[in-house]
């Protein structure tokens, strides 16, 4: 038997949806700068892209502070335990109607494969985009900083990182449809509440009675 309980706090939901919107807009404006799409015009796309980049940096700073002070950073520590089970589930079991190998709880919101994906995103892809974006933005300051190199190489790496984000986004959206129902995971990220087996709630100390 399942009971609806709080899974995601208000800040988590705000951070998740704001971050998602900013990343999508960064991709759109970034591809317009490269001439792949034509919506706002080059100059407007550049200004908006830069503003969105700074906004994401500020949002990330608040998110890092929140994760560190609440201890939620532990949710993203990767573990090899159960990784093989998750790979078999996503490649075979899910198409055969098999049970999910990991039961989610407030203390363990991510399965081993998700932990690895988010850990890579936060420790590799985000820093890569941040570093290359700032290098690209402050290219004229390179001589003062004692840096040398080609800006087109930085732009290429930044664009490759953007495609990495797009791949993650597509897979992320797909996996949201693999919940109890087609839209149950999306609903949980909107309302903050999710149906959890009562034995899981009991084992974790009862969960959280309200939305902090």
């Amino acid at each position: 038997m399942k009971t609806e309980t709080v899974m995601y706090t208000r800040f988590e939901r705000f951070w998740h949806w704001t971050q998602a919107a900013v990343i999508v807009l960064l991709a759109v404006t970034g591809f317009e700068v490269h001439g792949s799409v034509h919506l706002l015009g080059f100059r407007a796309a550049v200004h908006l892209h830069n503003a969105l980049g700074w906004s994401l940096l500020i949002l990330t700073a608040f998110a890092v502070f929140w994760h560190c002070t609440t201890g939620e950073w532990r949710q993203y520590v990767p573990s090899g335990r159960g990784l093989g089970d998750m790979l078999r589930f996503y490649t075979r079991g899910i198409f055969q109607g098999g049970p999910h190998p990991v039961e989610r709880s407030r203390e363990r919101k991510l399965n081993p494969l998700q932990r690895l994906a988010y850990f890579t995103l936060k420790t590799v892809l985000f820093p890569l985009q941040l570093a290359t974006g700032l290098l690209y933005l402050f290219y004229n300051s390179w001589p003062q900083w004692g840096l040398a190199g080609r800006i087109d190489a930085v732009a290429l790496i930044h664009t490759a990182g953007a495609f990495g984000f797009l791949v993650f986004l597509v897979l992320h959206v797909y996996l949201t449809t693999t919940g109890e129902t087609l839209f149950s995971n999306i609903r949980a990220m909107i309302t903050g509440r999710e149906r959890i087996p009562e034995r899981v709630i009991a084992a974790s100390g009862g969960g959280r009675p309200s939305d902090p």
Side-chain angles (χ1 to χ4, degrees):
M1 188 173 180
K2 294 186 176 183
T3 300
E4 193 173 78
T5 187
V6 173
M7 181 69 76
Y8 304 103
T9 66
R10 290 189 182 95
F11 178 80
E12 283 178 290
R13 280 133 53 199
F14 166 78
W15 168 57
H16 175 273
W17 290 112
T18 304
Q19 180 178 247
V22 170
I23 288 175
V24 169
L25 290 173
L26 277 169
V28 172
T29 53
F31 285 123
E32 177 146 15
V33 170
H34 280 271
S36 302
V37 297
H38 304 281
L39 296 172
L40 303 173
F42 178 80
R43 185 177 296 275
V46 169
H47 288 311
L48 182 56
H49 191 79
N50 291 340
L52 289 166
W54 287 116
S55 299
L56 183 60
L57 181 60
I58 295 170
L59 179 65
T60 300
F62 276 103
V64 169
F65 175 79
W66 182 85
H67 280 86
C68 290
T69 55
T70 60
E72 287 295 300
W73 60 270
R74 296 182 181 87
Q75 299 277 359
Y76 305 98
V77 177
S79 171
R81 184 178 180 182
L83 189 59
D85 293 335
M86 288 308 309
L87 287 171
R88 284 188 290 272
F89 174 73
Y90 282 133
T91 57
R92 185 178 61 203
I94 193 173
F95 302 107
Q96 300 174 343
H100 200 288
V102 177
E103 289 187 321
R104 288 153 48 83
S105 67
R106 181 65 184 81
E107 291 71 28
R108 189 176 63 178
K109 292 180 283 190
L110 303 175
N111 64 56
L113 193 59
Q114 288 174 317
R115 283 175 178 250
L116 181 60
Y118 279 107
F119 182 81
T120 303
L121 183 75
K122 294 174 184 297
T123 60
V124 178
L125 207 49
F126 257 110
L128 177 70
Q129 288 302 90
L130 173 62
T132 54
L134 290 174
L135 285 172
Y136 195 91
L137 181 62
F138 295 106
Y139 172 70
N140 292 329
S141 299
W142 284 18
Q144 302 172 23
W145 298 345
L147 298 177
R150 297 177 53 179
I151 193 171
D152 56 343
V154 174
L156 181 62
I157 296 172
H158 195 68
T159 303
F163 277 105
F165 268 102
L166 282 179
V167 170
F168 176 84
L169 183 63
V170 170
L171 291 175
H172 182 66
V173 171
Y174 164 69
L175 291 178
T176 62
T177 65
T178 62
E180 191 176 61
T181 64
L182 188 62
F183 298 108
S184 60
N185 286 337
I186 295 177
R187 174 181 173 274
M189 189 51 72
I190 294 174
T191 65
R193 297 180 174 275
E194 189 168 341
R195 286 167 49 82
I196 303 295
E198 289 185 351
R199 67 178 182 279
V200 175
I201 297 175
S204 61
R208 293 189 177 185
S210 60
D211 187 359

